[in-house]
Amino acid sequence: MFDRDWEWSELSAFVQDPGPEATMAVVSGRRRQGKSFLLDSIARAAGGFYFCAYEATEAESLRRFGEELALYTGAAAPLRFDRWEQGVDALLALGRDRPVPVVLDEFPYLTRATPALPSILQVAYGPRRPERLESRTRLLLCGSSLAFMGGLLSGTSPLRGRASLELVVQPLDFRQSAAFWGIEEQRLAVLVHSVVGGTPAYRREFVRDDVPAGLRDFDDWVCRTVLSPRCPLYREARYLLADEADLRDRALYHSVLAALASGNATAGGIAGCLERPTSDITHPLTVLQDCGLVRRETDAFRRNRSTYRVAEPLIAFDHAVSRPRLPLLDRGMADQVWDGSRARFLSAVVGPHFEQLCRDWVCHFAGPETFGGMPIDVSYGTVADPAARTSIEVDVVVRGAMGQDVGVLLSVGEAKWDQTMGVGHLERLRHALALLRAKGIDTSHARPACYSGAGFTEELRAAEGRGEVILVDLRRLYEGE
């Protein structure tokens, strides 16, 4: 198990809860994040029961469930259940003497065959039902469909209010990912993360521990893994949508993702790219957000303006590099495709991804002393420049808390992946701050910040020494605050 201490502690506290009645938890997260490994491990450690469903009819699922429950309890013959009401009561009976973790993994498969199953659990976990009050079963429902699992406890769902723990197993962050892949060269770490993100299984199961030996090996690594039809990673991006069973028109969702990867960041831009009315795009964008595949960001200075970005690096890579050249890749021409696509990868994938890593660094790693306050909200922003009839894009806008004041503008920043930043970038940020002041925004605490993957000029370093700018290079991104 790698760096899942927090998730393990939350699960341990739940399954060891000495409370006198049965409890329920919902565990979700996209595939390949290690949910099943975590839950199987916690069940084994606490002597619990683990059942992993697969796509099957209700009758077959109940038969398998009875067989595995009989093996767990040591029954002489398989247990037979005609309805899930009987099966759920059998699970509650496991916890009569002690807290017992019970895992129902791939819960969406069970619900697809038995749509009433959430309601059955609602009744079984009724506040005054004796079977629940006399049981200490710790039931954990797990699934990879974020849209489905997120809906289990929301709105008018039957299970709303029944769960005492809701845990989402997230991908590893960029620092954890570098450690997990064993990559010490920080520039290489950003490039690899721009392709595979923080999904642990991509290193072990998908590329069989094939890690780039260095920056010079990165191009060859891309060709022999994510661009090779022989590697499971080659098709993974196209399968991620398949995990969401509720999606009907998958072609539309793929087209929306392709439009996003092409640089169309607004709902109107996506609709125009697909030659559809904006109303046709609203629902797919909402669903893709629920699935965790698309991220919606609100402009820090124009709250009525939002942009959308692909949240999963592998999908961004697939749509920018692989999908436009699939016929060539299927014929084993990865080297030729990569030669023609590398520049697009750096501009359309790595550049925006580096900007997001910088925002993530501010959120999770920058200390209060860096910006003179505690960062609370980090986003991008657009500053209108009426005199020049243009606007200035600010990649990293930091708002936070200073004493009793919350929402203070702490910093405006620019991020450049492959460009040495100089005084010109600092002047641009100063101009943006002046424009904001002219609009009546308090910038008295705001500090310019430059984030670069290629370094800074001596003049800009000197400005940092005078306290005029915050500089964040790759070393600080991965090691500093």
Side-chain angles (χ1 to χ4, degrees):
M1 190 176 300
F2 179 86
D3 220 338
R4 293 296 191 189
D5 295 341
W6 179 80
E7 290 87 348
W8 183 262
S9 67
E10 291 294 315
L11 291 172
S12 297
F14 173 78
V15 302
Q16 295 172 6
D17 182 359
E21 56 192 32
T23 55
M24 182 188 303
V26 172
V27 181
S28 61
R30 292 210 315 273
R31 289 196 187 279
R32 328 296 183 199
Q33 306 306 324
K35 302 185 302 301
S36 296
F37 181 83
L38 273 170
L39 293 173
D40 183 47
S41 298
I42 201 76
R44 291 172 183 268
F49 174 62
Y50 176 88
F51 176 74
C52 184
Y54 52 69
E55 291 185 282
T57 64
E58 180 181 53
E60 183 180 359
S61 295
L62 282 168
R63 179 183 58 78
R64 281 190 57 241
F65 173 77
E67 290 173 351
E68 296 193 23
L69 187 58
L71 289 174
Y72 171 76
T73 59
L79 302 175
R80 295 180 60 86
F81 301 108
D82 298 321
R83 307 185 316 276
W84 271 109
E85 287 89 341
Q86 300 167 337
V88 172
D89 280 346
L91 295 178
L92 291 174
L94 296 178
R96 284 175 181 162
D97 300 323
R98 65 180 179 89
V100 175
V102 171
V103 178
L104 295 182
D105 203 354
E106 300 297 353
F107 184 69
Y109 289 157
L110 296 178
T111 305
R112 196 179 308 168
T114 311
L117 189 52
S119 296
I120 293 171
L121 287 170
Q122 177 196 27
V123 174
Y125 272 70
R128 302 183 65 180
R129 190 167 185 260
E131 288 84 351
R132 173 180 180 253
L133 297 175
E134 297 170 3
S135 169
R136 286 187 286 172
T137 291
R138 307 302 179 220
L139 179 62
L140 298 109
L141 310 177
C142 179
S144 299
S145 173
L146 291 183
F148 175 86
M149 297 302 292
L152 275 182
L153 304 178
S154 63
T156 58
S157 170
L159 293 181
R160 179 173 173 80
R162 292 290 192 264
S164 58
L165 172 67
E166 184 176 9
L167 178 67
V168 180
V169 180
Q170 302 285 359
L172 302 176
D173 65 47
F174 66 94
R175 288 188 176 184
Q176 293 170 326
S177 297
F180 183 73
W181 282 78
I183 299 175
E184 297 181 357
E185 196 172 356
Q186 290 151 354
R187 190 170 180 84
L188 176 62
V190 173
L191 290 173
V192 172
H193 196 269
S194 298
V195 178
V196 295
T199 299
Y202 291 162
R203 177 184 176 179
R204 300 284 192 233
E205 289 85 350
F206 281 66
V207 302
R208 305 300 300 168
D209 288 326
D210 183 354
V211 180
L215 273 173
R216 292 184 178 181
D217 186 41
F218 177 75
D219 292 346
D220 289 339
W221 176 80
V222 169
C223 292
R224 67 178 181 258
T225 56
V226 70
L227 294 182
S228 172
R230 297 187 298 273
C231 179
L233 203 58
Y234 176 68
R235 296 175 179 83
E236 174 66 5
R238 282 155 270 170
Y239 292 157
L240 288 175
L241 278 179
D243 292 336
E244 300 296 334
D246 294 334
L247 303 189
R248 297 292 181 259
D249 186 359
R250 286 198 173 86
L252 175 59
Y253 290 91
H254 278 295
S255 295
V256 170
L257 291 171
L260 281 168
S262 299
N264 299 282
T266 64
I270 297 168
C273 179
L274 302 184
E275 298 183 357
R276 292 198 178 204
T278 304
S279 57
D280 287 359
I281 306 302
T282 303
H283 179 68
L285 282 172
T286 300
V287 173
L288 288 170
Q289 290 176 72
D290 293 340
C291 297
L293 301 180
V294 166
R295 180 175 56 250
R296 180 175 181 263
E297 298 177 352
T298 302
D299 192 309
F301 306 120
R302 299 167 63 184
R303 290 294 177 178
N304 61 342
R305 183 176 184 268
S306 297
T307 60
Y308 299 88
R309 307 178 196 273
V310 178
E312 170 53 50
L314 189 62
I315 289 181
F317 179 92
D318 182 68
H319 283 278
V321 177
S322 303
R323 283 175 67 88
R325 298 288 185 272
L326 281 179
L328 297 179
L329 292 173
D330 287 338
R331 287 156 51 193
M333 301 176 65
D335 291 336
Q336 294 89 329
V337 169
W338 183 241
D339 286 343
S341 304
R342 195 176 192 279
R344 176 170 171 76
F345 166 70
L346 293 174
S347 62
V349 179
V350 182
H353 189 69
F354 178 68
E355 294 172 9
Q356 184 59 44
L357 293 189
C358 294
R359 289 189 284 267
D360 291 343
W361 176 81
V362 174
C363 283
H364 303 296
F365 302 109
E369 64 281 357
T370 300
F371 299 102
M374 176 62 70
I376 295 176
D377 178 66
V378 184
S379 60
Y380 81 102
T382 307
V383 183
D385 187 349
R389 295 184 179 180
T390 185
S391 60
I392 299 175
E393 298 291 334
V394 181
D395 301 321
V396 185
V397 180
V398 184
R399 294 185 184 275
M402 294 184 67
Q404 299 299 316
D405 296 329
V406 178
V408 178
L409 181 62
L410 299 178
S411 177
V412 294
E414 187 167 357
K416 297 294 182 185
W417 162 246
D418 219 11
Q419 186 179 134
T420 301
M421 301 185 74
V423 174
H425 296 93
L426 175 57
E427 291 301 327
R428 187 168 177 270
L429 293 171
R430 285 171 172 166
H431 182 51
L433 287 172
L435 292 170
L436 291 172
R437 280 195 297 273
K439 294 174 62 177
I441 297 177
D442 182 9
T443 64
S444 58
H445 301 288
R447 302 180 63 190
C450 293
Y451 307 78
S452 176
F456 309 98
T457 63
E458 292 183 4
E459 292 82 3
L460 195 58
R461 285 290 187 188
E464 179 192 33
R466 296 190 296 269
E468 299 174 6
V469 63
I470 300 167
L471 301 185
V472 180
D473 56 13
L474 290 179
R475 182 172 182 179
R476 189 172 185 181
L477 198 70
Y478 275 89
E479 299 177 8
E481 296 183 348

